[in-house]
Amino acid sequence: MCGISGFAGSFYTKERLQQHINAACKLLQHRGPDQLQAFVGDGIALGISRLAIRDPHHGRQPMSRSGYTIVFNGELYNSRALKEKLANSGCVFLTECDTEILLLALIEYGDSIIGNLEGMFAFALWDEKQQTLTLARDQWGEKPLYYACSETDITFASEIKALSCFPHIKWDVSDEDAMVFLKNSYLPHPRTGWRGIHKLSPGTYLRFQKEEVSHHRYFTAALQESSEQSRPEELFQLLKSNIQNCLISDKPVGAFLSGGLDSSTIAYFLSKENPNAPIFSLHWDDASYSEERYTAEVAKALKLNHHSVKCDPAFFRNYFDSIVDLYDEPFGDESMVPTFCLAKFAKGQVDVVLTGDGADELFHGYERYFFEGSFESYLEIFAATPASVIELVCQPDCVKGPLLPRVSKATNTERIRSWFDMHTYLTDDILMKVDRSCMGNSLEPRCPFLTRQISDFALRCSMATLVGDQRRGKEILRETMKNHLPQSILERRKMGFGVPLNSWFRTVLKSWMEERLLEGSLLKTGCFSETGIRKLITLHDSEQGNYARPLLNLLVLERWINRWKLNHSFSKNFVR
């Protein structure tokens, strides 16, 4: 797991490129503190900040063979099968790391191999002979990859901050993106908050050659409901084998445990492979948010090597700026704070953690999927910031109508909502949060539910198999684990990884929140209403509603503006 960055084009001399790529690697050092190194040639630079998980001593990057050079962030779970196939073709291996396997596979099979890679990845491959740069991202977007293009060059990085090391890049705020962020608490790809900077879409690769850029999709999540009943026995074996694949590591591996069905399932299979593997949980003083009772029950039933840490208002306040800064773009999922706290705690014992992310989207675990109403009303009711609140806090000439996303042609209401989440919320909220929270602590997260075989299984399941008679979702997963987990865990309703901001913004964090929103950078943009923000704070404080999420979004936006305003100009109409 690493941070990667690079440039291809004719804008810089080799000396300047060396300076810029070295600076970019340093800005990504939290993602990979074990090795900072760069490959620089005429018109090309590839940099790595490496977290050495596989073959730490010999798997150094950038890695070159036969005129090709690669930088790779991620893990290949089918590396053994790929290596055997390559060996049969006569390939000779010098290391035990999956970076070499990926490089040789790309040399041997070309682009066609990308769709057959199983795992999580973002990589850049330079072909010296053809003068071609290829960028690719895994099918669900577990690993991030940003890029900026001009007529003559392309710059890329695992995080936006590294792009700032290349002076030619223009930093113009996208007025439209601020509106989209306020509504969602995140930015769907390819949006980033900047007009000229984009997220590479999941399941795609990009090619830059002779000053031309082309995009190619190699994966699209397809809903292929099978007429045959999906079997719990099949899912059990898939979970077992794929979690085994996710344990490939030369460094210690643990797991996150929330006490819900998904993370408890991961903990169960991990404990069977390694009974002493550390399992990490988080708890609150607020009993209505804490899942300590359930994590303790799972830990006792499975005899886990269990560890728990508390997240409190002081942690939220002290780490808020540094956590928001990890994302570089506006990002306001409240669970980014406890996830960072948990990752920071886990890093003390392990370098890799397994998580239960992805199961809710694939197996229909969110109760909101069963809301009765149109898709448009669904989007508004479950928006992070309702349109009425946006109209309240923004100046009238800065607000336009909401942007509605494209949805699948699937006819089933729950399927539409699930499909939509797979392509937006999962990639751009859940997986981004997990990546930044963990990699901000030099910790590698792996999500077994998103492995190819398990996700394909879920996409084949019929609605009856997923939803069940009680219409609560994940029915097949409950059936799979019914003899292996406590009944209370199997019967639990979904409880998000929330934060007690509702009460904190009325008590211990009230003055901190008010000072930032009313005296910080937000009002200086000219796009927000002081009267409206004061009214929103009053409505929340008087318990006329829970406006913690809109208030958090405004706090995030204030920090984002404050962080970048010294170096980059903001347009007058920040929100449209």
Side-chain angles (χ1 to χ4, degrees):
M1 192 65 68
C2 312
I4 62 174
S5 55
F7 172 92
S10 56
F11 194 85
Y12 297 110
T13 63
K14 286 181 68 173
E15 292 74 19
R16 289 283 304 279
L17 263 183
Q18 188 73 61
Q19 295 172 8
H20 298 326
I21 196 67
N22 288 347
C25 289
K26 289 180 181 178
L27 284 185
L28 296 175
Q29 193 167 5
H30 55 278
R31 297 186 67 91
D34 298 328
Q35 179 206 347
L36 272 65
Q37 196 163 324
F39 165 87
V40 178
D42 291 326
I44 182 65
L46 301 177
I48 190 78
S49 302
R50 182 177 177 234
L51 180 64
I53 301 296
R54 302 274 295 272
D55 196 354
H57 301 295
H58 302 107
R60 298 180 66 83
Q61 299 185 47
M63 187 176 288
S64 300
R65 282 285 188 92
S66 306
Y68 294 84
T69 302
I70 194 170
V71 284
F72 167 49
N73 170 29
E75 297 291 338
L76 295 185
Y77 303 141
N78 65 334
S79 58
R80 292 188 183 120
L82 272 177
K83 186 173 184 178
E84 182 177 345
K85 184 177 180 181
L86 288 165
N88 290 336
S89 298
C91 291
V92 177
F93 297 90
L94 305 178
T95 76
E96 294 297 326
C97 71
D98 52 351
T99 302
E100 184 182 29
I101 295 170
L102 174 59
L103 175 58
L104 293 177
L106 289 166
I107 295 172
E108 183 77 13
Y109 306 114
D111 302 333
S112 63
I113 196 62
I114 298 177
N116 294 317
L117 299 176
E118 296 183 21
M120 53 181 183
F121 57 84
F123 68 79
L125 178 72
W126 174 248
D127 181 342
E128 180 67 29
K129 182 178 180 180
Q130 299 296 326
Q131 296 285 289
T132 300
L133 180 69
T134 301
L135 305 179
R137 194 176 180 201
D138 62 69
Q139 63 178 22
W140 296 112
E142 289 186 66
K143 294 296 98 191
L145 195 56
Y146 297 86
Y147 68 95
C149 291
S150 74
E151 294 180 355
T152 60
D153 54 70
I154 185 170
T155 315
F156 70 90
S158 295
E159 296 180 11
I160 292 174
K161 59 176 64 68
L163 298 178
S164 67
C165 297
F166 297 86
H168 73 286
I169 292 179
K170 296 180 179 180
W171 295 84
D172 297 322
V173 167
S174 169
D175 302 338
E176 195 175 77
D177 285 5
M179 176 73 167
V180 175
F181 163 70
L182 285 177
K183 191 169 186 63
N184 296 291
S185 291
Y186 66 92
L187 288 172
H189 61 274
R191 300 178 185 273
T192 64
W194 312 99
R195 287 196 181 93
I197 299 173
H198 313 283
K199 299 170 189 165
L200 185 63
S201 297
T204 66
Y205 66 91
L206 173 157
R207 172 151 296 129
F208 178 82
Q209 184 178 33
K210 297 179 180 178
E211 301 178 354
E212 292 186 2
V213 175
S214 58
H215 291 258
H216 309 268
R217 176 162 291 279
Y218 69 85
F219 172 81
T220 300
L223 300 174
Q224 300 176 337
E225 290 189 24
S226 173
S227 58
E228 299 181 4
Q229 190 75 10
S230 299
R231 297 181 298 111
E233 298 82 4
E234 181 184 358
L235 180 55
F236 186 91
Q237 292 303 320
L238 288 176
L239 286 164
K240 180 179 179 180
S241 61
N242 281 273
I243 289 174
Q244 286 173 341
N245 290 339
C246 289
L247 295 179
I248 299 173
S249 172
D250 293 321
K251 295 290 185 70
V253 180
F256 288 164
L257 175 66
S258 69
L261 176 59
D262 309 336
S263 63
S264 298
T265 296
I266 300 299
Y268 168 82
F269 284 101
L270 174 57
S271 68
K272 294 301 180 184
E273 296 296 321
N274 181 2
N276 294 319
I279 308 295
F280 305 98
S281 299
L282 181 138
H283 62 272
W284 311 95
D285 286 334
D286 189 329
S288 62
Y289 284 83
S290 182
E291 297 181 88
E292 190 172 12
R293 165 195 162 190
Y294 297 103
T295 58
E297 186 173 359
V298 174
K300 181 179 179 180
L302 301 182
K303 299 179 180 179
L304 301 176
N305 177 15
H306 185 231
H307 308 268
S308 183
V309 64
K310 183 174 75 172
C311 187
D312 56 24
F315 185 93
F316 184 96
R317 182 177 58 248
N318 294 338
Y319 283 91
F320 180 79
D321 287 351
S322 59
I323 291 173
V324 172
D325 291 353
L326 279 172
Y327 295 83
D328 298 324
E329 62 182 277
F331 185 84
D333 186 325
E334 63 188 53
S335 62
M336 64 184 175
V337 176
T339 307
F340 180 89
C341 179
L342 187 59
K344 184 178 179 66
F345 177 61
K347 179 60 181 180
Q349 295 192 50
V350 299
D351 295 288
V352 178
V353 288
L354 306 188
T355 82
D357 295 294
D360 283 313
E361 292 78 12
L362 289 166
F363 290 94
H364 284 61
Y366 296 121
E367 291 189 4
R368 55 183 165 82
Y369 287 167
F370 308 108
F371 164 78
E372 295 182 1
S374 67
F375 189 69
E376 288 74 15
S377 63
Y378 167 82
L379 290 176
E380 177 61 23
I381 289 173
F382 294 100
T385 306
S388 58
V389 174
I390 294 177
E391 292 171 358
L392 173 66
V393 301
C394 294
Q395 296 291 0
D397 60 347
C398 291
V399 180
K400 286 188 176 182
L403 301 170
L404 293 177
R406 293 178 297 173
V407 298
S408 167
K409 295 180 180 180
T411 56
N412 186 281
T413 302
E414 290 87 358
R415 276 297 200 198
I416 291 175
R417 294 166 184 172
S418 170
W419 188 93
F420 175 68
D421 274 353
M422 289 178 204
H423 291 79
T424 54
Y425 181 65
L426 173 62
T427 294
D428 300 310
D429 186 309
I430 299 298
L431 296 179
M432 180 181 286
K433 173 192 66 182
V434 172
D435 175 83
R436 297 301 198 282
S437 297
C438 291
M439 296 308 296
N441 289 286
S442 304
L443 179 70
E444 176 179 306
R446 301 179 182 178
C447 308
F449 281 109
L450 295 178
T451 54
R452 180 70 61 87
Q453 290 180 324
I454 294 177
S455 59
D456 284 352
F457 176 92
L459 293 170
R460 291 196 309 268
C461 285
S462 66
M463 281 305 301
T465 301
L466 294 170
V467 174
D469 296 335
Q470 299 185 44
R471 289 180 62 78
R472 58 183 178 178
K474 293 193 284 198
E475 199 62 29
I476 180 108
L477 187 56
R478 296 176 202 275
E479 282 294 311
T480 300
M481 301 306 297
K482 68 179 181 180
N483 296 321
H484 308 288
L485 294 176
Q487 189 66 24
S488 59
I489 304 303
L490 296 171
E491 296 299 323
R492 282 193 69 191
R493 291 287 182 177
K494 175 67 180 177
M495 179 178 177
F497 198 20
V499 180
L501 291 179
N502 187 19
S503 61
W504 288 358
F505 282 168
R506 296 189 181 108
T507 54
V508 290
L509 294 182
K510 181 182 176 182
S511 60
W512 173 83
M513 177 263 294
E514 288 181 333
E515 180 180 355
R516 288 195 162 221
L517 294 184
L518 299 174
E519 300 177 21
S521 300
L522 203 61
L523 295 178
K524 296 176 183 178
T525 65
C527 295
F528 294 91
S529 164
E530 180 178 351
T531 301
I533 292 176
R534 287 187 182 276
K535 184 174 181 180
L536 184 65
I537 293 172
T538 300
L539 288 171
H540 184 79
D541 190 50
S542 61
E543 300 190 34
Q544 296 182 52
N546 180 358
Y547 295 99
R549 292 186 71 191
L551 288 169
L552 177 63
N553 285 344
L554 291 171
L555 285 168
V556 166
L557 204 54
E558 192 282 328
R559 173 60 189 174
W560 186 66
I561 294 169
N562 189 52
R563 180 191 178 202
W564 291 92
K565 69 179 180 180
L566 296 178
N567 300 315
H568 312 296
S569 61
F570 283 78
S571 62
K572 183 177 180 181
N573 294 321
F574 187 71
V575 182
R576 289 187 186 276

